[in-house]
């Protein structure tokens, strides 16, 4: 299938911009993907001077050409645009309505001529000025009014990157080309001197260089014409390379901003304002970076993995905490990297500012998932601590119980901290840190409460067991008193001296046992 130049009318004869058509052209030709690897070429000149024919021959476009047998007339109305076929870099060809037309003359105005010339100079890297050889050097022929229009337009440009003017002299005459070039250069200098707003302005401020070539007649010397055009076409191949026709590329703007630049430039021109291109480029860069950032944020919000994390409706399986941090970091980095790639050709200050804004809004969007993950980690830690605590009660009774409970609490807190580190994404803001501290403090309080309760419970149980042992020991001791009744035994325990005086004889060993029992009763 043959490549399509996708030509369409960019600006109507009434001056209406076809923005929908431009966006469709950009999308269909994948212009935005060209980044800085593209060039724009515009052609201006008198009506019926063969501009459309020349562009079609040079770039393989299909702009409507004048039928010579129908006579001279306005063939191209407004400004048409098309993609160069079989040529690198990506070349945008613009066919501008001819100047000095009888149709425009009947309106008594040259407004559109001046606007279209200014537009071509502001947009194009190369402006072809199509002229008749026999007009050069004439005062009232088409060349001088056209040049005057072009140079007056230049004085309304501020901060524009330098444009290459390529004069194509049609229907080469017997007059030597060098002589024609000399006359043309003289006319250029004279017209610029009259058009310049100040003596400080020179053509060098606006132009990369000026060059002239001559072509034979398209109808009567077609073979020679085709040979000359073929040679000229080669010069548009690699036009943006060092030494190419475009030349200065230091201020070239990304192709993705081309539609917006066209819209804003034409709007400014229609409002009859001077074009401050640096300010306009800042506006375009700001808008495009912001637009790209919004598009990446929208895609993030529709990302299935992110939505799954945000839902957090099902219990998480073991190990998913670490997956959360890694996956969410990877997802965020993916969209930030895409933003970086698509904005890398815009002004650094602007793209960094909008990137920071994108990052902040993305983090705000996924924050609920992070907060939910922290709560999940807290619940898991609390559950694990309770399980270990019960196990400790069963396995660690006796000396060192409290120390082991404290050790268990510290171990759980370390595990929680590790879980937070695994769940945390690489990029986070202060609010995330504060949330982690808050959840950590809450968990610490809950653990301390459980520890305190379990220690108190253990102490109470230990005391109860001790009392039971004491009572059991006292009863056994009293019972060993030989020949005594229950009351007598208790008397022996409580007052062995009195017992001896009343005739209750006891041995020395028995008295020692009684002393021990009595001491136990006192402490209990």
């Amino acid at each position: 299938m043959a490549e399509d130049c996708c030509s369409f009318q960019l600006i109507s004869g009434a001056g209406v911009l076809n923005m929908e058509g431009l966006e469709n052209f950009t999308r269909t030709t994948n212009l935005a993907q060209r980044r800085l690897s593209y060039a724009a070429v515009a052609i201006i000149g008198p009506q019926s001077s063969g501009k459309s024919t020349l562009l079609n021959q040079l770039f393989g476009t299909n702009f409507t050409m004048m039928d010579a047998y129908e006579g001279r007339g306005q063939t191209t109305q407004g400004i048409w645009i098309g993609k160069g076929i079989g040529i690198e870099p990506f070349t945008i060809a613009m066919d501008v309505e001819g100047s000095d037309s009888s149709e425009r003359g009947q309106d008594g105005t040259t407004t559109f001529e001046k606007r279209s010339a200014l537009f071509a100079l502001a947009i194009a890297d190369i402006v072809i000025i199509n002229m008749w050889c026999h007009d050069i050097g004439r005062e009232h022929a088409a060349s001088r009014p056209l040049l005057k229009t072009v140079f007056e337009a230049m004085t309304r440009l501020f901060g524009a990157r330098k444009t290459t003017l390529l004069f194509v002299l049609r229907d080469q005459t017997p007059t030597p080309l060098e002589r024609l070039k000399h006359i043309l250069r003289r006319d250029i200098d004279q017209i610029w001197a009259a058009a310049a707003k100040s003596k400080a302005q020179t053509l060098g401020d606006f132009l990369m260089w000026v060059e002239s070539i001559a072509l034979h007649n398209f109808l009567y010397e077609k073979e020679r014409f085709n040979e000359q055009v073929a040679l000229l076409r080669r010069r548009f191949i690699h036009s943006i390379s060092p030494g190419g026709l475009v030349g200065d590329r230091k201020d070239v703007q990304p192709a993705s901003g081309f539609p917006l630049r066209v819209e804003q430039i034409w709007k400014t021109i229609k409002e009859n304002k001077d074009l401050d291109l640096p300010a306009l480029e800042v506006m375009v860069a700001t808008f495009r970076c912001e637009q790209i950032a919004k598009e990446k944020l929208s895609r993030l919000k529709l990302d299935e993995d992110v939505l799954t994390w945000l839902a957090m409706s099902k219990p998480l399986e073991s190990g998913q905490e670490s997956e959360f941090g890694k996956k969410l970091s990877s997802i965020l980095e993916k969209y930030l990297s895409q933003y970086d790639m698509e904005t890398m050709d815009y002004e650094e200050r602007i793209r960094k500012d909008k990137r920071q804004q994108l990052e902040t809004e993305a983090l705000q969007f996924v924050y609920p998932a992070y907060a939910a993950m922290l709560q999940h980690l807290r619940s898991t830690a609390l559950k694990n601590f309770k399980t270990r605590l019960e196990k400790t009660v069963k396995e660690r009774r006796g000396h060192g119980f409290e120390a082991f409970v404290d050790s268990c609490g510290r171990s759980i807190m370390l595990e929680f901290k590790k879980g937070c580190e695994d769940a945390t994404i690489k990029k986070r803001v202060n609010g995330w840190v504060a949330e982690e501290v808050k959840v950590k403090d809450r968990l610490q309080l809950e653990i301390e409460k459980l520890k305190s309760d379990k220690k108190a419970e253990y102490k109470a149980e230990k005391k109860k067991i001790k009392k039971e042992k004491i009572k059991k020991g006292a009863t056994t001791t009293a019972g060993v008193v030989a020949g005594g009744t229950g009351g007598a035994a208790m008397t022996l325990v409580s007052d062995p001296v009195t017992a001896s005086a009343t005739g209750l004889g006891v041995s020395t060993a028995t008295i020692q046992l009684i002393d021990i029992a009595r001491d136990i009763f006192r402490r209990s």
Side-chain angles (χ1 to χ4, degrees), residues 309-310 312 324-325 328 363 365-377 416 419-425 427-437 439:
W309 289 117
L310 284 171
M312 296 287 282
F324 176 85
L328 201 53
L363 288 171
F365 177 71
V366 300
Y367 174 76
Y370 176 70
M373 177 58 72
L374 290 180
Q375 293 299 332
H376 164 76
L377 290 170
F416 173 76
C420 289
E421 290 173 355
D422 289 342
T424 298
I425 64 174
K427 302 179 183 296
R428 57 178 183 169
V429 291
N430 291 334
W432 292 48
V433 178
E435 181 67 16
E436 182 181 324
V437 171
V439 176

Side-chain angles (χ1 to χ4, degrees), residues 11-12 14-17 79 112 115-116 119 261-271 275 280:
I11 298 173
S12 71
V16 178
L17 176 67
I79 299 175
F112 189 84
R115 287 177 175 175
S116 59
F119 179 80
R261 288 179 63 237
V262 167
E263 181 182 36
Q264 292 302 313
I265 286 173
W266 185 246
K267 178 185 176 184
T268 304
I269 291 172
K270 286 192 71 176
E271 292 172 352
L275 275 174
L280 186 142

Side-chain angles (χ1 to χ4, degrees), residues 454-469:
K454 189 55 68 176
K455 287 178 182 179
E457 180 184 322
Y458 180 73
K459 285 180 180 179
E461 185 179 354
K462 185 177 179 183
K463 188 175 182 180
K464 180 180 178 182
I465 294 173
K466 189 174 183 181
K467 282 184 178 182
E468 290 176 354
K469 286 183 178 180

Side-chain angles (χ1 to χ4, degrees), residues 2 23 69 119-120 132 211 240-241 281 289 312 408 437 446 483 496:
E23 289 174 348
Y69 295 101
F119 179 80
W132 296 111
E211 188 170 340
I240 63 174
S241 301
E281 302 302 358
C289 289
M312 296 287 282
C408 182
V437 171
E446 290 170 325

Side-chain angles (χ1 to χ4, degrees), residues 157-161 251 253 275-284 347 350:
L157 289 172
F158 297 100
R161 68 180 187 275
D251 294 323
Q253 299 301 306
L275 275 174
D276 185 350
L277 289 184
L280 186 142
E281 302 302 358
V282 168
M283 184 277 294
V284 171
E347 187 178 330
I350 296 172

Side-chain angles (χ1 to χ4, degrees), residues 7-51:
S7 63
F8 72 103
Q9 189 180 45
L10 177 64
I11 298 173
S12 71
V16 178
L17 176 67
N18 181 2
M19 195 63 191
E20 183 180 350
L22 180 57
E23 289 174 348
N24 183 63
F25 172 82
T26 303
R27 183 171 53 255
T28 303
T29 61
N30 293 318
L31 173 59
Q33 280 65 52
R34 292 293 181 151
R35 295 179 51 199
L36 303 180
S37 184
Y38 74 103
V41 180
I43 189 167
I44 60 177
Q47 175 190 285
S48 305
S49 59
K51 299 186 299 301

Side-chain angles (χ1 to χ4, degrees), residues 104-277:
R104 293 289 182 186
Q106 291 173 5
D107 296 337
T109 178
T110 58
T111 300
F112 189 84
E113 290 181 13
K114 293 177 180 179
R115 287 177 175 175
S116 59
L118 180 56
F119 179 80
L121 289 165
I123 290 292
D125 300 284
I126 304 168
V127 175
I128 299 173
I129 299 181
N130 205 53
M131 302 175 63
W132 296 111
C133 281
H134 54 256
D135 281 341
I136 297 175
R138 294 182 178 182
E139 180 64 29
H140 299 294
S143 60
R144 292 184 73 90
L146 176 61
L147 290 176
K148 184 179 179 182
T149 298
V150 170
F151 293 150
E152 285 178 349
M154 280 185 182
T155 63
R156 295 182 58 192
L157 289 172
F158 297 100
R161 68 180 187 275
K162 294 181 179 181
T163 305
T164 296
L165 283 189
L166 181 61
F167 286 89
V168 175
L169 311 180
R170 306 297 294 273
D171 287 7
Q172 188 171 354
T173 64
T175 306
L177 180 59
E178 290 303 316
R179 176 60 181 166
L180 290 176
K181 288 182 179 180
H182 174 75
I183 297 171
L184 178 60
R185 186 69 208 196
R186 181 199 64 193
D187 289 349
I188 288 173
D189 291 339
Q190 289 177 352
I191 296 168
W192 174 253
K197 291 183 177 180
S198 69
K199 292 183 179 180
Q201 288 181 314
T202 67
L203 271 174
D205 297 331
F206 300 90
L207 302 179
M208 193 66 193
W209 63 58
V210 178
E211 188 170 340
S212 305
I213 62 169
L215 300 178
H216 284 77
N217 187 279
F218 171 67
L219 291 177
Y220 304 117
E221 299 174 279
K222 194 165 188 176
E223 187 175 339
R224 292 289 304 276
F225 175 85
N226 289 337
E227 291 174 357
Q228 292 169 330
V229 170
L231 291 174
L232 179 58
R233 176 182 167 84
R234 292 179 190 174
R235 301 198 56 188
F236 286 94
I237 297 175
H238 307 307
S239 61
I240 63 174
S241 301
L245 276 175
V246 171
D248 183 10
R249 296 287 287 175
K250 66 179 181 179
D251 294 323
V252 64
Q253 299 301 306
S256 63
F258 185 77
L260 183 60
R261 288 179 63 237
V262 167
E263 181 182 36
Q264 292 302 313
I265 286 173
W266 185 246
K267 178 185 176 184
T268 304
I269 291 172
K270 286 192 71 176
E271 292 172 352
N272 201 32
K273 298 177 181 178
D274 289 345
L275 275 174
D276 185 350
L277 289 184

Side-chain angles (χ1 to χ4, degrees), residues 274-470:
D274 289 345
L275 275 174
D276 185 350
L277 289 184
L280 186 142
E281 302 302 358
V282 168
M283 184 277 294
V284 171
T286 301
F287 181 86
R288 280 294 298 149
C289 289
E290 196 170 79
Q291 191 178 49
I292 293 169
K294 286 181 178 178
E295 187 261 336
K296 299 309 167 191
L297 185 62
S298 295
R299 291 198 176 187
L300 170 67
K301 291 181 177 180
L302 295 175
D303 192 292
E304 291 185 2
D305 288 333
V306 176
L307 293 177
T308 299
W309 289 117
L310 284 171
M312 296 287 282
S313 57
K314 298 179 180 178
L316 295 174
E317 297 177 0
S318 176
Q320 284 190 301
E321 294 88 346
S322 59
E323 290 182 11
F324 176 85
K326 289 178 181 178
K327 285 187 176 181
L328 201 53
S329 294
S330 176
I331 290 168
L332 288 174
E333 191 58 39
K334 178 179 73 172
Y335 291 109
L336 288 171
S337 296
Q338 289 176 0
Y339 170 87
D340 291 338
M341 283 296 296
E342 293 179 31
T343 62
M344 66 185 301
D345 299 316
Y346 289 103
E347 187 178 330
E348 184 178 11
R349 174 185 60 82
I350 296 172
R351 59 184 173 84
K352 281 188 174 182
D353 179 60
K354 297 304 175 185
R355 188 188 198 276
Q356 182 61 51
Q357 185 177 328
L358 168 61
E359 188 175 300
T360 299
E361 292 182 6
L363 288 171
Q364 288 174 347
F365 177 71
V366 300
Y367 174 76
Y370 176 70
M373 177 58 72
L374 290 180
Q375 293 299 332
H376 164 76
L377 290 170
R378 182 192 65 79
S379 299
T380 302
L382 207 56
K383 180 180 178 181
N384 290 342
F385 180 69
K386 290 177 180 178
T387 301
R388 293 186 194 180
L389 209 54
E390 294 304 319
K391 188 177 181 181
T392 299
V393 171
K394 294 177 181 178
E395 299 178 356
R396 293 278 179 169
R397 305 180 71 87
H399 182 69
F401 173 80
E402 292 189 4
F404 194 81
V405 168
D406 291 336
S407 175
C408 182
R410 288 193 296 272
S411 175
I412 288 293
M413 289 304 299
L414 286 174
E415 290 177 12
F416 173 76
K417 181 180 178 182
K418 179 63 168 59
C420 289
E421 290 173 355
D422 289 342
T424 298
I425 64 174
K426 294 179 181 179
K427 302 179 183 296
R428 57 178 183 169
V429 291
N430 291 334
W432 292 48
V433 178
E435 181 67 16
E436 182 181 324
V437 171
K438 184 176 75 172
V439 176
K440 178 184 175 183
D441 289 346
R442 180 183 174 186
L443 176 62
Q444 186 73 64
L445 288 173
E446 290 170 325
I447 287 178
E448 291 299 325
K449 177 71 167 54
L450 288 172
K451 284 168 52 180
S452 178
D453 291 347
K454 189 55 68 176
K455 287 178 182 179
E457 180 184 322
Y458 180 73
K459 285 180 180 179
E461 185 179 354
K462 185 177 179 183
K463 188 175 182 180
K464 180 180 178 182
I465 294 173
K466 189 174 183 181
K467 282 184 178 182
E468 290 176 354
K469 286 183 178 180
I470 290 170

